[in-house]
Amino acid sequence: MDLSSLQNWLDNTSFCVLFITLLLYWVGAAFPGIPALWPLGTSGMAIANLCIAALLGARWIEAGYFPLSNLYESLFFLVWGITTIHLIAENMSRSRLVGVATSPVAMAITAFAALTLPGEMQQSAPLVPALKSNWLMMHVSVMMLSYATLMVGSLLAIAFLVVTRGQNIELRGSSIGNGSYRSDRYRLQRAGTPIPAVEAPTPTPEFTTGFSSDNNGKGLSGNVALLDVVQVETPAQPATATLQPSLSPQRLSLADTLDNISYRIIGLGFPLLTIGIIAGGVWANEAWGSYWSWDPKETWALITWLVFAAYLHARITRGWQGRKPAILAAAGFVVVWICYLGVNLLGKGLHSYGWFF
């Protein structure tokens, strides 16, 4: 089998694996009583990640340059980044809902690259003069990794909005800033754990989510499956009162997890985006004699940076948590796609090599 045939086999295999993985995650979410589906979904993501890595490696060997020169190559590199960040986020959160959010996007991108793009756009071609630089690997790879990371973080924020049904619930421990606290009408703990004695009530409500105490409210352990609900009664308020009557404690705990992991993943993607933009400016000065030309791609990269800078600023210094930063991250998901693909499809610019126009 030559390298071209191997690449064709690998891109179709990665699509099939991601499609099966999508089904595993969604069926597992619909029928949580079938625990075997979750590890199968994680294994599917790992297999797809390895197939795409092999595809890019074969492409690199065949073409003789880092495979990020056209739409086909960049789409598969983006999927490789999404699957990699997915595995990291899933390991951090111990929540399989991560796969429910990320697998449809990874599968759709793979289907578009492998099944929709014309054959001539899938073939490697000699690099244009401006791309014959060592900065191709440095700038483009970091930008694509930042796109993948920000997409995963934004998808988890969208999943948070779905889980909470858009309600403005209060969270704790997800941001560095002025966190707020939920009511103590529910205290969650594992099944079979003795119910601790409740001391005299205080005016300030409190909510505990069942995460490990050695994490200091920052890291996440595997203790996210909360089985018993213990109602805490205080003289000030009856035990039947709840702050969010339409959301179960388990759903609130899941929202905590999604909010926390989304924040951490976006916090990882933002420095990558910053480094990629700086590297692009240096490369632009070498290639075109100017660090910044207000090209459509450069302009939207700046807009993307500002959106996620606003997100992190709101969380770190303003203490935003919950719905408002999730909406901002969801808007960032759209902005990332416009920056990555939209400006290349809607108009010409200095970054239009190897695309539709």
Side-chain angles (χ1 to χ4, degrees):
M1 181 183 294
D2 59 17
L3 289 177
S4 297
S5 300
L6 177 63
Q7 294 169 37
N8 184 67
W9 182 83
L10 286 171
D11 65 7
N12 285 279
T13 300
S14 60
F15 165 72
C16 293
V17 171
L18 286 172
F19 180 73
I20 295 172
T21 301
L22 167 66
L23 296 178
L24 290 171
Y25 274 119
W26 280 79
V27 173
F31 302 97
I34 310 177
L37 295 177
W38 299 123
L40 288 175
T42 303
S43 300
M45 275 290 189
I47 292 171
N49 181 273
L50 293 176
C51 287
I52 295 171
L55 167 65
L56 295 173
R59 190 86 166 193
W60 194 348
I61 295 173
E62 179 189 35
Y65 56 82
F66 194 68
L68 276 175
S69 65
N70 59 26
L71 181 58
Y72 175 84
E73 295 168 354
S74 68
L75 285 171
F76 271 105
F77 191 88
L78 179 66
V79 177
W80 178 83
I82 290 175
T83 54
T84 300
I85 301 300
H86 158 88
L87 295 171
I88 295 173
E90 192 175 74
N91 182 67
M92 291 171 60
S93 66
R94 297 291 193 269
S95 173
R96 298 305 189 266
L97 192 62
V98 175
V100 175
T102 58
S103 58
V105 175
M107 189 273 293
I109 297 173
T110 304
F112 177 69
L115 307 177
T116 304
L117 285 181
E120 58 271 14
M121 295 191 65
Q122 299 184 17
Q123 302 299 320
S124 59
L127 292 176
V128 297
L131 295 181
K132 293 179 179 179
S133 170
N134 292 329
W135 287 102
L136 173 65
M137 181 185 298
M138 172 62 183
H139 166 61
V140 184
S141 63
V142 173
M143 289 297 292
M144 296 303 300
L145 284 175
S146 72
Y147 292 158
T149 306
L150 295 174
M151 283 181 184
V152 172
S154 299
L155 285 170
L156 296 180
I158 295 172
F160 170 87
L161 294 174
V162 173
V163 167
T164 60
R165 301 169 185 169
Q167 296 186 23
N168 190 23
I169 66 172
E170 294 181 342
L171 304 173
R172 65 177 299 180
S174 297
S175 295
I176 300 176
N178 303 318
S180 53
Y181 298 86
R182 277 202 216 102
S183 171
D184 64 342
R185 300 285 64 74
Y186 290 104
R187 180 171 295 162
L188 306 186
Q189 60 187 45
R190 283 189 172 278
T193 303
I195 301 174
V198 181
E199 298 180 355
T202 59
T204 304
E206 182 181 359
F207 180 90
T208 58
T209 58
F211 296 136
S212 295
S213 59
D214 57 5
N215 286 330
N216 298 321
K218 295 180 181 179
L220 291 175
S221 71
N223 303 329
V224 296
L226 306 173
L227 305 180
D228 283 358
V229 178
V230 181
Q231 293 193 358
V232 182
E233 186 172 358
T234 66
Q237 293 177 319
T240 56
T242 58
L243 185 63
Q244 296 290 342
S246 61
L247 296 179
S248 68
Q250 288 78 11
R251 187 180 286 261
L252 289 172
S253 178
L254 179 58
D256 266 330
T257 302
L258 290 173
D259 183 73
N260 191 294
I261 297 302
S262 172
Y263 171 49
R264 292 167 182 266
I265 294 298
I266 291 176
L268 173 64
F270 183 75
L272 291 174
L273 179 65
T274 304
I275 295 172
I277 291 175
I278 294 174
V282 176
W283 187 14
N285 184 61
E286 290 186 2
W288 304 317
S290 174
Y291 288 99
W292 196 267
S293 305
W294 292 105
D295 178 73
K297 190 76 149 186
E298 297 173 349
T299 303
W300 277 97
L302 177 61
I303 294 173
T304 304
W305 189 90
L306 291 174
V307 169
F308 286 102
Y311 171 90
L312 293 175
H313 171 76
R315 296 206 63 143
I316 294 173
T317 65
R318 304 293 296 176
W320 281 18
Q321 298 180 32
R323 183 177 65 176
K324 289 191 290 185
I327 293 174
L328 188 58
F333 180 78
V334 178
V335 172
V336 169
W337 272 109
I338 294 175
C339 177
Y340 167 59
L341 197 58
V343 295
N344 299 95
L345 301 180
L346 299 177
K348 295 183 178 180
L350 295 173
H351 292 78
S352 297
Y353 318 109
W355 305 74
F356 286 161
F357 298 101

